[in-house]
């Protein structure tokens, strides 16, 4: 496509997770740079080698690796004794976000909050969403959240490798018990808000922006 049809932008990309989370963002960074846009790409320490080489891509490091996730996987702090394994898994996700990802806010913000370094938009993976929502609010810029697969695959919300079924479930609402499945996901989001609230609220206070209510967050998602 003719890149002259598009306004030149500066795009902030933040991805947290496995290599499967990083590679789509690496490809997006390359495509954006090929189209003439400037990109700030934040990758974990163990994923720096995936970054494309381009004068229009600035590579930044998130100070942890995928292996750091496993210290929380076996012993999540919130609701560790909850009978629903999906709630316990949400506890693991929240531990990772609260203890590894959110503390990076100052470094990310300092790198891009003013002048020509200020991005026009943030694109973030699901594990980076709490961080990116705070940054987007602070800088008053749009945020695009990329959910590469459901938090916990189910029959109605299958793993993204089952492409047709995943699209049918997410876009067209096909499948039995769709309403019940949606409510399950909303409940998981409420648990996540509860688990993250203290740390998330602390970051919002330090950044000096209003903290969202659970209904505000659900309306965004």
């Amino acid at each position: 496509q003719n890149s002259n049809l598009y306004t030149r932008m500066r795009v902030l990309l933040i991805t947290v997770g496995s290599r499967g989370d990083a590679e789509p963002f690496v490809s997006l960074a390359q495509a954006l740079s090929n189209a003439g846009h400037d990109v700030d790409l934040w990758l974990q320490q163990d994923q720096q080698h995936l970054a494309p080489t381009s004068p229009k891509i600035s590579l930044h490091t998130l100070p942890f690796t995928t292996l750091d996730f496993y210290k929380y996987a076996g012993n999540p702090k919130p609701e560790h004794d909850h009978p629903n394994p999906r709630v316990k898994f949400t506890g693991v996700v929240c531990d990772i976000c609260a203890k590894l990802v959110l503390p990076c806010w100052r470094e990310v913000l300092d790198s891009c909050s003013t002048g020509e370094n200020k991005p026009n938009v943030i694109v973030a993976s699901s594990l980076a969403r709490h961080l990116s929502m705070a940054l987007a609010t602070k800088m008053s810029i749009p945020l695009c959240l990329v959910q590469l697969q459901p938090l916990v695959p189910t029959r109605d919300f299958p793993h993204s490798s089952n492409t047709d079924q995943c699209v049918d479930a997410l876009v067209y609402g096909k499948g039995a018990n769709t309403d019940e499945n949606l409510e399950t996901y909303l409940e998981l989001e409420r648990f996540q808000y509860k688990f993250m609230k203290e740390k998330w609220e602390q970051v919002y206070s330090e950044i000096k922006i209003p903290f969202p209510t659970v209904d505000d967050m659900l309306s965004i998602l």
Side-chain angles (χ1 to χ4, degrees), residues 25-186:
F25 280 78
V26 168
S27 297
L28 177 59
Q30 183 68 71
L32 288 167
S33 68
N34 290 345
H37 303 296
D38 295 305
V39 179
D40 286 292
L41 176 61
W42 286 81
L43 294 173
Q44 295 165 197
Q45 289 173 338
D46 55 334
Q47 297 166 351
Q48 297 285 299
H49 66 286
L50 300 174
T53 301
S54 168
K56 300 192 76 64
I57 299 175
S58 299
L59 178 61
H60 306 273
T61 304
L62 294 168
F64 51 84
T65 73
T66 307
L67 287 177
D68 291 319
F69 299 167
Y70 289 96
K71 67 180 70 173
Y72 308 110
N75 187 32
K77 181 179 178 181
E79 299 291 343
H80 64 277
D81 56 350
H82 197 281
N84 186 338
R86 300 171 76 191
V87 174
K88 288 194 282 190
F89 182 80
T90 300
V92 174
V93 170
C94 291
D95 278 345
I96 293 169
C97 293
K99 297 174 183 178
L100 295 178
V101 185
L102 267 178
C104 300
W105 73 265
R106 193 182 303 276
E107 184 178 2
V108 179
L109 187 62
D110 286 348
S111 74
C112 65
S113 60
T114 59
E116 63 181 14
N117 291 327
K118 183 177 179 180
N120 301 101
V121 63
I122 300 175
V123 183
S125 67
S126 55
L127 285 177
R129 76 177 189 189
H130 301 91
L131 170 64
S132 58
M133 286 173 69
L135 295 174
T137 301
K138 178 65 176 179
M139 292 187 281
S140 299
I141 59 175
L143 167 63
C144 176
L145 294 173
V146 179
Q147 184 81 357
L148 294 172
Q149 66 181 53
L151 180 64
V152 183
T154 66
R155 181 185 62 188
D156 293 326
F157 280 68
H159 191 276
S160 56
S161 61
N162 299 321
T163 307
D164 292 339
Q165 297 95 314
C166 191
V167 170
D168 282 346
L170 294 174
V171 178
Y172 302 110
K174 294 181 180 178
N177 303 317
T178 301
D179 291 341
E180 290 83 352
N181 189 83
L182 176 61
E183 182 60 28
T184 301
Y185 273 83
L186 292 177

